[in-house]
Amino acid sequence: MTSAAYTSTQKFLHWSLFVLVLLLYALTYGENLLPRGDPTVESIWRLHISFGLLLAGLVLWRVVLRGLRGAPGFPDEMSAPERAAAKVGHLVLYALLIAIPVLGILLTWFRGDELSFFGLFTVPAPFAPDRTTARTIRELHSLCADGILIAAGLHALAALYHHFVRRDAILTRMLPKVAK
């Protein structure tokens, strides 16, 4: 099923994921500004895990909703290559949004830590710590995190191009409705 605009829930999830990705990135780099051994680093790490789990839950919700509701069709003026590029771009974003939390969960477990969601519940590591595996997963996690910033940046540029140059409704269909 497709419509002219995304549902309010789809819009909420889109912008929530955007904010969470930025927050998680900020937490990562905020941690790097502190000296090694600073107790704040542990708190930042726990927040990063909790917000990462929130991201995972919202991504799952978004993927299910996308499967059930679909997405609005492209404007008729879009060429076949533009439509293909948009589909590939969305596929890359979804793949990264799934890969990043999965890798983060595995990284946490291979470090020997438990997953904790804001202290409300914990999930112990199902296997023994493995520093070599954790290091590899951390590199993949970081690579995907950098990749999502690039993909999201290109996504935003494309939306702005459509809004200001093409003057179509691509951007506005994802913006919240303004009460009149």
Side-chain angles (χ1 to χ4, degrees):
M1 173 174 85
T2 60
S3 67
Y6 289 95
T7 66
S8 58
T9 304
Q10 287 171 308
K11 292 175 187 181
F12 168 78
L13 290 169
H14 176 273
W15 294 108
S16 296
L17 292 173
F18 169 73
V19 168
L20 275 172
V21 166
L22 291 180
L23 174 64
L24 288 161
Y25 222 89
L27 286 170
T28 298
Y29 284 98
E31 173 187 325
N32 292 336
L33 298 174
L34 297 169
R36 191 175 196 99
D38 188 317
T40 309
V41 171
E42 181 67 23
S43 297
I44 290 172
W45 173 244
R46 294 288 168 212
L47 279 174
H48 186 94
I49 291 170
S50 293
F51 282 117
L53 290 171
L54 179 59
L55 178 82
L58 292 180
V59 166
L60 177 62
W61 185 11
R62 177 136 189 223
V63 168
V64 168
L65 200 55
R66 175 76 181 248
L68 294 173
R69 304 245 183 196
F74 295 118
D76 293 335
E77 307 83 47
M78 280 182 71
S79 67
E82 288 174 319
R83 290 169 190 256
K87 288 179 182 179
V88 168
H90 282 102
L91 181 65
V92 167
L93 284 167
Y94 278 107
L96 290 169
L97 283 169
I98 292 167
I100 292 168
V102 168
L103 290 167
I105 290 167
L106 291 173
L107 172 59
T108 302
W109 284 339
F110 276 106
R111 281 182 155 173
D113 296 329
E114 60 187 16
L115 292 173
S116 176
F117 185 73
F118 298 107
L120 298 174
F121 67 85
T122 58
V123 180
F127 27 73
D130 182 334
R131 293 180 69 132
T132 304
T133 302
R135 192 174 308 113
T136 301
I137 293 171
R138 181 179 180 164
E139 289 173 13
L140 288 171
H141 183 70
S142 295
L143 183 64
C144 288
D146 291 342
I148 201 160
L149 288 183
I150 294 166
L154 291 172
H155 178 71
L157 286 174
L160 292 171
Y161 167 78
H162 278 275
H163 188 72
F164 291 109
V165 176
R166 298 288 290 272
R167 300 196 183 276
D168 59 27
I170 290 289
L171 175 63
T172 57
R173 65 190 189 164
M174 188 50 87
L175 295 175
K177 286 187 180 180
V178 179
K180 296 181 183 182

